[in-house]
Amino acid sequence: MRILIIEDEADLLASLAKALREEGYAVDTAADGEEGLYKAQSWDYDALVLDVMLPRLDGWSVLQRLRQTKKTPVLMLTARDTARDRVRGLDTGADDYMVKPFDLNELFARLRALIRRAAGQTRNTLDIGDLVINTAARRVTCAGQVIALTAREYALVEFLALHRGEVVTRTTLYEHLFDEDDNTLSNLLDVHVSNLRKKLGAGFITTHRGHGYSIE
Ligand code: CA
């Protein structure tokens, strides 16, 4: 899953990006509204964390312009907790709303819920045969046994599972699993798929030659 954080407070931006990367997300950042809107329009992020008070273009304007073309789930951050702001956020198309200072674990949980809902899932577990993918714990179990996966392997399984039955193209996977600092020219994706097959069974991920991958 790939997330864009648009936040002008450098310390908060850096710590949020670090924390989300440790959670296994690919993370892009923008320090002002214009750069943020440009990135949000250019890529299909799984979610946006959007500060309200931003230089060049404020969070409301970013959201309003983004909503003309994209449904990306947006979690807004604000310094003020007023009903007027909350109403404005929801009316403009925000999907959720948090007041600074916020609890990091709560932000993680809200982002997971947004991403899940955007994929049409209301439960936080996905069952595929004997496998259970717990999106809250970011853990895969097979018949109750935890399967050790790297953060990237987990992200790949989760993305395919949330789009179960669909062929997900390599381009889409690169866009959602790797951030702008990753080297997308490498063949890491094949390595991850190959490792997952060793851990989860050869038939777990189907290759559609020339198209992409799927979990059936
Ligand atoms: Ca700000």
Side-chain angles (χ1 to χ4, degrees):
M1 299 295 162
R2 184 170 172 183
I3 292 175
L4 173 65
I5 311 169
I6 311 175
E7 167 63 74
D8 60 319
E9 290 167 48
D11 289 350
L12 179 59
L13 181 63
S15 64
L16 210 48
K18 182 169 178 281
L20 283 166
R21 285 193 184 109
E22 283 169 3
E23 285 288 292
Y25 293 101
V27 180
D28 290 353
T29 59
D32 68 67
E34 265 179 19
E35 185 193 6
L37 179 64
Y38 172 75
K39 288 186 175 178
Q41 287 172 330
S42 306
W43 300 97
D44 275 333
Y45 290 101
D46 296 290
L48 252 67
V49 176
L50 175 61
D51 186 32
V52 169
M53 297 298 287
L54 288 168
R56 301 172 80 90
L57 196 63
D58 69 23
W60 305 121
S61 310
V62 171
L63 182 59
Q64 198 176 19
R65 293 197 202 172
L66 182 70
R67 280 290 173 262
Q68 292 169 5
T69 54
K70 292 213 175 201
K71 292 188 288 187
T72 315
V74 173
L75 171 65
M76 297 209 65
L77 299 178
T78 177
R80 296 178 306 176
D81 185 20
T82 65
R84 192 167 160 264
D85 275 7
R86 285 197 297 274
V87 169
R88 185 173 176 191
L90 295 169
D91 278 348
T92 312
D95 299 276
D96 205 350
Y97 189 95
M98 286 187 89
V99 179
K100 294 178 185 176
F102 51 83
D103 179 83
L104 208 48
N105 286 315
E106 188 182 347
L107 179 115
F108 293 159
R110 285 173 183 253
L111 280 175
R112 286 194 297 267
L114 286 184
I115 291 169
R116 217 162 53 217
R117 266 186 263 141
Q121 292 285 340
T122 47
R123 295 168 61 225
N124 62 15
T125 57
L126 303 162
D127 299 344
I128 298 171
D130 290 343
L131 287 189
V132 178
I133 299 168
N134 185 321
T135 59
R138 304 181 66 77
R139 196 172 60 200
V140 177
T141 54
C142 181
Q145 295 285 101
V146 176
I147 297 173
L149 300 179
T150 65
R152 275 288 153 72
E153 287 167 1
Y154 174 80
L156 176 55
V157 170
E158 186 190 83
F159 193 86
L160 290 173
L162 284 170
H163 298 86
R164 190 176 179 181
E166 293 170 33
V167 177
V168 182
T169 65
R170 292 174 60 86
T171 310
T172 300
L173 287 171
Y174 274 113
E175 196 165 322
H176 288 269
L177 300 182
F178 303 97
D179 57 43
E180 56 196 353
D181 296 330
D182 281 312
N183 176 11
T184 54
L185 296 175
S186 72
N187 65 345
L188 278 172
L189 188 56
D190 302 301
V191 175
H192 293 312
V193 169
S194 154
N195 288 339
L196 279 171
R197 283 181 173 140
K198 284 177 200 147
K199 293 179 181 182
L200 304 175
F204 186 68
I205 295 174
T206 307
T207 301
H208 301 265
R209 209 156 290 285
H211 296 280
Y213 300 101
S214 70
I215 290 178
E216 300 300 328

